[in-house]
């Protein structure tokens, strides 16, 4: 497993999660550094990794790409004209390399890229204000976004256009599909709402003791959260 991390100091780090050398059969793991780059001109705002590829977005309006096995840079993308707020890959189950890269920015737009090679396919204006987060359905056919305009939007990735847009009444900071794509969840401050993917019906809602900073779906209906 590979991990990447970005910082306000403009640096991106890559790590490999490996078993301890003297305990190869043990469940004890260690992080081995792969690379460290001062890759951006401003603080890093988003990062994602899938298979051998990784990407970072920044307030300098650019996306930088990395090859994890060779610990090298693959170049940069310059389609955005404002701060990049989110990046995510889509990797079909049958492939080891991602098929698409999606990125969002502070001007409300989402860029769609083909990853072989990294070619810009389309830019879609989705929100009236900055996009806070985006998530691609496991099928790769659609994506959800939430923005500072207090709205939820759906992107049809087959046609490359926005297919749904509704006001939430409050700003959501995070949106994620579960691993099966049957449900998605949205985070607003301390509250987490779980919704049916088919009709966005609210299944349940729970409140954390503090503001939720990040979240990720896990197996067997687990949801992993980090709070302030």
């Amino acid at each position: 497993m590979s991990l990447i991390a970005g910082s306000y100091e403009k640096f991106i780090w890559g790590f490999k999660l490996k078993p301890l050398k003297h305990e190869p059969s043990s469940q004890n793991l260690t992080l081995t550094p792969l690379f460290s780059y001062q890759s951006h001109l401003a603080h890093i705002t988003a990062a994602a990794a899938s298979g051998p590829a990784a990407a970072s977005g920044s307030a300098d309006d650019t996306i930088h790409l990395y090859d994890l096995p060779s610990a090298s840079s693959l170049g940069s993308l310059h389609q955005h004209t404002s701060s990049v707020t989110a990046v995510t890959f889509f990797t079909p189950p049958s492939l080891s390399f991602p098929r698409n890269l999606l990125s969002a920015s502070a001007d409300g737009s989402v860029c769609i890229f083909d990853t072989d090679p990294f070619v810009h396919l389309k830019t879609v204006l989705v929100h009236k204000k900055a996009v806070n987060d985006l998530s691609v359905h496991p099928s790769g056919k659609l994506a959800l976004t939430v923005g500072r305009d207090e709205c939820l939007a759906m992107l049809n990735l087959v046609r490359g256009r926005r297919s749904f847009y509704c006001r939430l009444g409050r700003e959501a900071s995070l949106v994620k599909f579960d691993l099966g794509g049957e449900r998605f969840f949205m985070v607003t401050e301390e509250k987490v709402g779980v919704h049916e993917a088919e009709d966005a019906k609210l299944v349940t809602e729970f409140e954390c003791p503090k503001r939720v900073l990040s979240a990720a779906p896990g197996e067997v209906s687990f949801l992993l959260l980090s709070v302030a």
Side-chain angles (χ1 to χ4, degrees):
M1 177 185 291
S2 298
L3 301 174
I4 60 170
S7 74
Y8 278 96
E9 287 74 32
K10 313 168 190 176
F11 274 86
I12 187 82
W13 291 274
F15 300 92
K16 190 74 174 179
L17 194 62
K18 296 181 178 180
L20 295 174
K21 289 184 178 180
H22 59 282
E23 301 177 23
S25 60
S26 171
Q27 294 185 349
N28 295 323
L29 302 174
T30 182
L31 282 176
T32 302
L34 292 176
F35 60 79
S36 174
Y37 297 120
Q38 188 174 357
S39 55
H40 289 276
L41 300 177
H43 63 273
I44 294 173
T45 52
S50 181
S56 62
S58 168
D60 64 7
D61 307 350
T62 66
I63 299 169
H64 282 246
L65 307 168
Y66 315 91
D67 179 72
L68 296 176
S70 64
S72 61
S73 173
L74 295 176
S76 58
L77 303 171
H78 300 267
Q79 274 68 33
H80 287 291
T81 57
S82 59
S83 298
V84 178
T85 56
V87 291
T88 188
F89 287 102
F90 166 65
T91 305
S94 59
L95 298 180
S96 59
F97 192 85
R99 176 179 292 170
N100 297 104
L101 170 68
L102 274 74
S103 59
S105 71
D107 63 4
S109 67
V110 171
C111 286
I112 306 169
F113 300 89
D114 190 332
T115 59
D116 189 19
F118 281 93
V119 176
H120 177 242
L121 299 177
K122 193 166 187 178
T123 297
V124 184
L125 184 60
V126 183
H127 289 270
K128 296 178 181 179
K129 295 183 180 180
V131 180
N132 288 334
D133 196 22
L134 65 86
S135 179
V136 180
H137 189 269
S139 68
K141 295 181 179 180
L142 59 91
L144 293 176
T145 62
V146 291
R148 298 193 65 182
D149 55 3
E150 300 183 354
C151 289
L152 167 71
M154 178 185 292
L155 277 171
N156 183 325
L157 298 179
V158 177
R159 295 175 178 258
R161 67 186 186 188
R162 189 180 72 182
S163 59
F164 176 78
Y165 185 74
C166 73
R167 180 166 292 279
L168 300 172
R170 53 184 177 175
E171 182 181 340
S173 58
L174 298 170
V175 62
K176 302 293 179 186
F177 280 106
D178 68 7
L179 296 182
E182 297 177 355
R183 294 179 176 180
F184 69 91
F185 64 87
M186 287 189 295
V187 173
T188 56
E189 296 291 340
E190 299 89 1
K191 293 184 178 181
V192 180
V194 182
H195 300 257
E196 295 285 358
E198 184 176 358
D199 56 8
K201 179 182 177 182
L202 181 65
V203 177
T204 186
E205 188 176 58
F206 56 92
E207 190 165 348
C208 298
K210 294 184 179 180
R211 182 172 179 265
V212 178
L213 300 179
S214 61
E219 296 181 355
V220 199
S221 300
F222 274 97
L223 179 61
L224 308 176
L225 305 172
S226 66
V227 298

PDB file of all heavy atoms in Angstrom, residues 1-23:
ATOM      1  N   MET A   1       0.841  -1.198   0.000  1.00  0.00           N
ATOM      2  CA  MET A   1       0.000   0.000   0.000  1.00  0.00           C
ATOM      3  C   MET A   1       0.873   1.244   0.000  1.00  0.00           C
ATOM      4  O   MET A   1       1.883   1.298   0.692  1.00  0.00           O
ATOM      5  CB  MET A   1      -0.919   0.009   1.230  1.00  0.00           C
ATOM      6  CG  MET A   1      -1.787   1.262   1.342  1.00  0.00           C
ATOM      7  SD  MET A   1      -2.751   1.325   2.875  1.00  0.00           S
ATOM      8  CE  MET A   1      -3.896  -0.002   2.586  1.00  0.00           C
ATOM      9  N   SER A   2       0.467   2.231  -0.785  1.00  0.00           N
ATOM     10  CA  SER A   2       1.201   3.494  -0.847  1.00  0.00           C
ATOM     11  C   SER A   2       0.377   4.609  -0.213  1.00  0.00           C
ATOM     12  O   SER A   2      -0.855   4.622  -0.315  1.00  0.00           O
ATOM     13  CB  SER A   2       1.524   3.858  -2.293  1.00  0.00           C
ATOM     14  OG  SER A   2       2.342   2.883  -2.885  1.00  0.00           O
ATOM     15  N   LEU A   3       1.055   5.541   0.425  1.00  0.00           N
ATOM     16  CA  LEU A   3       0.409   6.684   1.049  1.00  0.00           C
ATOM     17  C   LEU A   3       1.090   7.958   0.571  1.00  0.00           C
ATOM     18  O   LEU A   3       2.307   7.965   0.345  1.00  0.00           O
ATOM     19  CB  LEU A   3       0.511   6.604   2.579  1.00  0.00           C
ATOM     20  CG  LEU A   3      -0.081   5.385   3.277  1.00  0.00           C
ATOM     21  CD1 LEU A   3       0.259   5.426   4.760  1.00  0.00           C
ATOM     22  CD2 LEU A   3      -1.579   5.315   3.079  1.00  0.00           C
ATOM     23  N   ILE A   4       0.310   9.019   0.394  1.00  0.00           N
ATOM     24  CA  ILE A   4       0.895  10.317   0.091  1.00  0.00           C
ATOM     25  C   ILE A   4       0.322  11.355   1.039  1.00  0.00           C
ATOM     26  O   ILE A   4      -0.803  11.219   1.536  1.00  0.00           O
ATOM     27  CB  ILE A   4       0.662  10.747  -1.372  1.00  0.00           C
ATOM     28  CG1 ILE A   4      -0.834  10.846  -1.694  1.00  0.00           C
ATOM     29  CG2 ILE A   4       1.350   9.810  -2.328  1.00  0.00           C
ATOM     30  CD1 ILE A   4      -1.090  11.491  -3.038  1.00  0.00           C
ATOM     31  N   ALA A   5       1.102  12.380   1.305  1.00  0.00           N
ATOM     32  CA  ALA A   5       0.678  13.444   2.209  1.00  0.00           C
ATOM     33  C   ALA A   5       1.211  14.775   1.710  1.00  0.00           C
ATOM     34  O   ALA A   5       2.352  14.858   1.231  1.00  0.00           O
ATOM     35  CB  ALA A   5       1.196  13.177   3.626  1.00  0.00           C
ATOM     36  N   GLY A   6       0.382  15.808   1.792  1.00  0.00           N
ATOM     37  CA  GLY A   6       0.787  17.145   1.390  1.00  0.00           C
ATOM     38  C   GLY A   6       0.753  18.090   2.570  1.00  0.00           C
ATOM     39  O   GLY A   6       0.136  17.783   3.602  1.00  0.00           O
ATOM     40  N   SER A   7       1.391  19.251   2.438  1.00  0.00           N
ATOM     41  CA  SER A   7       1.495  20.165   3.567  1.00  0.00           C
ATOM     42  C   SER A   7       1.294  21.617   3.134  1.00  0.00           C
ATOM     43  O   SER A   7       1.303  21.941   1.948  1.00  0.00           O
ATOM     44  CB  SER A   7       2.876  20.028   4.227  1.00  0.00           C
ATOM     45  OG  SER A   7       3.871  20.632   3.417  1.00  0.00           O
ATOM     46  N   TYR A   8       1.144  22.473   4.121  1.00  0.00           N
ATOM     47  CA  TYR A   8       1.056  23.909   3.862  1.00  0.00           C
ATOM     48  C   TYR A   8       2.400  24.471   3.432  1.00  0.00           C
ATOM     49  O   TYR A   8       2.469  25.589   2.920  1.00  0.00           O
ATOM     50  CB  TYR A   8       0.562  24.636   5.115  1.00  0.00           C
ATOM     51  CG  TYR A   8      -0.934  24.593   5.282  1.00  0.00           C
ATOM     52  CD1 TYR A   8      -1.539  23.642   6.091  1.00  0.00           C
ATOM     53  CD2 TYR A   8      -1.757  25.500   4.619  1.00  0.00           C
ATOM     54  CE1 TYR A   8      -2.916  23.596   6.241  1.00  0.00           C
ATOM     55  CE2 TYR A   8      -3.132  25.457   4.758  1.00  0.00           C
ATOM     56  CZ  TYR A   8      -3.708  24.512   5.568  1.00  0.00           C
ATOM     57  OH  TYR A   8      -5.072  24.456   5.706  1.00  0.00           O
ATOM     58  N   GLU A   9       3.484  23.703   3.648  1.00  0.00           N
ATOM     59  CA  GLU A   9       4.822  24.146   3.251  1.00  0.00           C
ATOM     60  C   GLU A   9       5.151  23.782   1.808  1.00  0.00           C
ATOM     61  O   GLU A   9       6.312  23.814   1.402  1.00  0.00           O
ATOM     62  CB  GLU A   9       5.878  23.543   4.185  1.00  0.00           C
ATOM     63  CG  GLU A   9       5.916  24.160   5.569  1.00  0.00           C
ATOM     64  CD  GLU A   9       4.723  23.706   6.422  1.00  0.00           C
ATOM     65  OE1 GLU A   9       4.265  22.564   6.234  1.00  0.00           O
ATOM     66  OE2 GLU A   9       4.258  24.504   7.252  1.00  0.00           O
ATOM     67  N   LYS A  10       4.118  23.378   1.009  1.00  0.00           N
ATOM     68  CA  LYS A  10       4.236  23.113  -0.429  1.00  0.00           C
ATOM     69  C   LYS A  10       4.883  21.775  -0.748  1.00  0.00           C
ATOM     70  O   LYS A  10       5.142  21.463  -1.910  1.00  0.00           O
ATOM     71  CB  LYS A  10       5.015  24.231  -1.138  1.00  0.00           C
ATOM     72  CG  LYS A  10       4.570  25.643  -0.777  1.00  0.00           C
ATOM     73  CD  LYS A  10       5.550  26.692  -1.273  1.00  0.00           C
ATOM     74  CE  LYS A  10       5.237  28.066  -0.713  1.00  0.00           C
ATOM     75  NZ  LYS A  10       6.233  29.068  -1.098  1.00  0.00           N
ATOM     76  N   PHE A  11       5.158  20.940   0.255  1.00  0.00           N
ATOM     77  CA  PHE A  11       5.823  19.661   0.037  1.00  0.00           C
ATOM     78  C   PHE A  11       4.806  18.531  -0.101  1.00  0.00           C
ATOM     79  O   PHE A  11       3.744  18.552   0.515  1.00  0.00           O
ATOM     80  CB  PHE A  11       6.771  19.338   1.198  1.00  0.00           C
ATOM     81  CG  PHE A  11       8.140  19.933   1.043  1.00  0.00           C
ATOM     82  CD1 PHE A  11       8.398  21.224   1.466  1.00  0.00           C
ATOM     83  CD2 PHE A  11       9.175  19.194   0.481  1.00  0.00           C
ATOM     84  CE1 PHE A  11       9.663  21.784   1.334  1.00  0.00           C
ATOM     85  CE2 PHE A  11      10.445  19.739   0.344  1.00  0.00           C
ATOM     86  CZ  PHE A  11      10.688  21.037   0.771  1.00  0.00           C
ATOM     87  N   ILE A  12       5.173  17.530  -0.902  1.00  0.00           N
ATOM     88  CA  ILE A  12       4.411  16.291  -1.028  1.00  0.00           C
ATOM     89  C   ILE A  12       5.344  15.136  -0.656  1.00  0.00           C
ATOM     90  O   ILE A  12       6.512  15.123  -1.055  1.00  0.00           O
ATOM     91  CB  ILE A  12       3.849  16.105  -2.459  1.00  0.00           C
ATOM     92  CG1 ILE A  12       2.912  14.897  -2.524  1.00  0.00           C
ATOM     93  CG2 ILE A  12       4.942  15.998  -3.488  1.00  0.00           C
ATOM     94  CD1 ILE A  12       1.527  15.179  -2.050  1.00  0.00           C
ATOM     95  N   TRP A  13       4.837  14.210   0.158  1.00  0.00           N
ATOM     96  CA  TRP A  13       5.620  13.045   0.568  1.00  0.00           C
ATOM     97  C   TRP A  13       4.930  11.777   0.099  1.00  0.00           C
ATOM     98  O   TRP A  13       3.694  11.676   0.119  1.00  0.00           O
ATOM     99  CB  TRP A  13       5.773  12.983   2.086  1.00  0.00           C
ATOM    100  CG  TRP A  13       6.630  14.039   2.676  1.00  0.00           C
ATOM    101  CD1 TRP A  13       7.983  14.034   2.826  1.00  0.00           C
ATOM    102  CD2 TRP A  13       6.194  15.292   3.233  1.00  0.00           C
ATOM    103  NE1 TRP A  13       8.420  15.195   3.424  1.00  0.00           N
ATOM    104  CE2 TRP A  13       7.338  15.989   3.691  1.00  0.00           C
ATOM    105  CE3 TRP A  13       4.943  15.893   3.396  1.00  0.00           C
ATOM    106  CZ2 TRP A  13       7.276  17.231   4.287  1.00  0.00           C
ATOM    107  CZ3 TRP A  13       4.866  17.135   3.983  1.00  0.00           C
ATOM    108  CH2 TRP A  13       6.027  17.797   4.425  1.00  0.00           C
ATOM    109  N   GLY A  14       5.725  10.788  -0.304  1.00  0.00           N
ATOM    110  CA  GLY A  14       5.209   9.474  -0.667  1.00  0.00           C
ATOM    111  C   GLY A  14       5.812   8.419   0.234  1.00  0.00           C
ATOM    112  O   GLY A  14       7.003   8.474   0.563  1.00  0.00           O
ATOM    113  N   PHE A  15       4.976   7.455   0.670  1.00  0.00           N
ATOM    114  CA  PHE A  15       5.426   6.400   1.571  1.00  0.00           C
ATOM    115  C   PHE A  15       4.911   5.050   1.076  1.00  0.00           C
ATOM    116  O   PHE A  15       3.875   4.964   0.415  1.00  0.00           O
ATOM    117  CB  PHE A  15       4.911   6.621   2.991  1.00  0.00           C
ATOM    118  CG  PHE A  15       5.346   7.907   3.624  1.00  0.00           C
ATOM    119  CD1 PHE A  15       4.561   9.041   3.511  1.00  0.00           C
ATOM    120  CD2 PHE A  15       6.529   7.985   4.345  1.00  0.00           C
ATOM    121  CE1 PHE A  15       4.941  10.234   4.099  1.00  0.00           C
ATOM    122  CE2 PHE A  15       6.926   9.173   4.933  1.00  0.00           C
ATOM    123  CZ  PHE A  15       6.133  10.304   4.809  1.00  0.00           C
ATOM    124  N   LYS A  16       5.628   4.001   1.423  1.00  0.00           N
ATOM    125  CA  LYS A  16       5.215   2.630   1.147  1.00  0.00           C
ATOM    126  C   LYS A  16       5.012   1.927   2.474  1.00  0.00           C
ATOM    127  O   LYS A  16       5.875   1.985   3.361  1.00  0.00           O
ATOM    128  CB  LYS A  16       6.283   1.897   0.327  1.00  0.00           C
ATOM    129  CG  LYS A  16       5.831   0.539  -0.202  1.00  0.00           C
ATOM    130  CD  LYS A  16       4.872   0.690  -1.346  1.00  0.00           C
ATOM    131  CE  LYS A  16       4.540  -0.655  -1.978  1.00  0.00           C
ATOM    132  NZ  LYS A  16       3.571  -0.532  -3.098  1.00  0.00           N
ATOM    133  N   LEU A  17       3.860   1.288   2.620  1.00  0.00           N
ATOM    134  CA  LEU A  17       3.549   0.549   3.837  1.00  0.00           C
ATOM    135  C   LEU A  17       3.997  -0.893   3.653  1.00  0.00           C
ATOM    136  O   LEU A  17       3.480  -1.612   2.795  1.00  0.00           O
ATOM    137  CB  LEU A  17       2.047   0.619   4.129  1.00  0.00           C
ATOM    138  CG  LEU A  17       1.571   0.193   5.513  1.00  0.00           C
ATOM    139  CD1 LEU A  17       2.179   1.087   6.596  1.00  0.00           C
ATOM    140  CD2 LEU A  17       0.049   0.236   5.587  1.00  0.00           C
ATOM    141  N   LYS A  18       4.997  -1.334   4.443  1.00  0.00           N
ATOM    142  CA  LYS A  18       5.585  -2.657   4.288  1.00  0.00           C
ATOM    143  C   LYS A  18       5.695  -3.376   5.632  1.00  0.00           C
ATOM    144  O   LYS A  18       5.763  -2.728   6.680  1.00  0.00           O
ATOM    145  CB  LYS A  18       7.000  -2.550   3.688  1.00  0.00           C
ATOM    146  CG  LYS A  18       7.069  -1.974   2.286  1.00  0.00           C
ATOM    147  CD  LYS A  18       8.508  -1.946   1.812  1.00  0.00           C
ATOM    148  CE  LYS A  18       8.611  -1.418   0.380  1.00  0.00           C
ATOM    149  NZ  LYS A  18      10.031  -1.387  -0.064  1.00  0.00           N
ATOM    150  N   PRO A  19       5.740  -4.722   5.618  1.00  0.00           N
ATOM    151  CA  PRO A  19       6.020  -5.469   6.856  1.00  0.00           C
ATOM    152  C   PRO A  19       7.447  -5.200   7.315  1.00  0.00           C
ATOM    153  O   PRO A  19       8.325  -4.871   6.519  1.00  0.00           O
ATOM    154  CB  PRO A  19       5.846  -6.938   6.439  1.00  0.00           C
ATOM    155  CG  PRO A  19       5.091  -6.899   5.153  1.00  0.00           C
ATOM    156  CD  PRO A  19       5.457  -5.612   4.487  1.00  0.00           C
ATOM    157  N   LEU A  20       7.687  -5.335   8.599  1.00  0.00           N
ATOM    158  CA  LEU A  20       9.034  -5.168   9.128  1.00  0.00           C
ATOM    159  C   LEU A  20       9.973  -6.219   8.543  1.00  0.00           C
ATOM    160  O   LEU A  20       9.590  -7.379   8.365  1.00  0.00           O
ATOM    161  CB  LEU A  20       9.014  -5.282  10.656  1.00  0.00           C
ATOM    162  CG  LEU A  20       8.244  -4.178  11.404  1.00  0.00           C
ATOM    163  CD1 LEU A  20       8.190  -4.486  12.894  1.00  0.00           C
ATOM    164  CD2 LEU A  20       8.886  -2.822  11.181  1.00  0.00           C
ATOM    165  N   LYS A  21      11.214  -5.811   8.201  1.00  0.00           N
ATOM    166  CA  LYS A  21      12.153  -6.709   7.539  1.00  0.00           C
ATOM    167  C   LYS A  21      12.452  -7.951   8.376  1.00  0.00           C
ATOM    168  O   LYS A  21      12.582  -9.049   7.850  1.00  0.00           O
ATOM    169  CB  LYS A  21      13.454  -5.965   7.225  1.00  0.00           C
ATOM    170  CG  LYS A  21      13.308  -4.936   6.109  1.00  0.00           C
ATOM    171  CD  LYS A  21      14.647  -4.317   5.782  1.00  0.00           C
ATOM    172  CE  LYS A  21      14.513  -3.320   4.622  1.00  0.00           C
ATOM    173  NZ  LYS A  21      15.812  -2.701   4.279  1.00  0.00           N
ATOM    174  N   HIS A  22      12.597  -7.787   9.697  1.00  0.00           N
ATOM    175  CA  HIS A  22      12.940  -8.927  10.541  1.00  0.00           C
ATOM    176  C   HIS A  22      11.709  -9.719  10.967  1.00  0.00           C
ATOM    177  O   HIS A  22      11.830 -10.732  11.652  1.00  0.00           O
ATOM    178  CB  HIS A  22      13.702  -8.447  11.785  1.00  0.00           C
ATOM    179  CG  HIS A  22      12.946  -7.471  12.628  1.00  0.00           C
ATOM    180  ND1 HIS A  22      12.831  -6.136  12.287  1.00  0.00           N
ATOM    181  CD2 HIS A  22      12.238  -7.638  13.770  1.00  0.00           C
ATOM    182  CE1 HIS A  22      12.100  -5.511  13.204  1.00  0.00           C
ATOM    183  NE2 HIS A  22      11.724  -6.398  14.107  1.00  0.00           N
ATOM    184  N   GLU A  23      10.517  -9.258  10.544  1.00  0.00           N
ATOM    185  CA  GLU A  23       9.276  -9.983  10.839  1.00  0.00           C
ATOM    186  C   GLU A  23       8.396 -10.004   9.592  1.00  0.00           C
ATOM    187  O   GLU A  23       7.314  -9.429   9.554  1.00  0.00           O
ATOM    188  CB  GLU A  23       8.518  -9.322  11.994  1.00  0.00           C
ATOM    189  CG  GLU A  23       9.296  -9.241  13.296  1.00  0.00           C
ATOM    190  CD  GLU A  23       8.505  -8.521  14.373  1.00  0.00           C
ATOM    191  OE1 GLU A  23       7.262  -8.479  14.290  1.00  0.00           O
ATOM    192  OE2 GLU A  23       9.139  -7.994  15.299  1.00  0.00           O
TER     193      GLU A  23
END
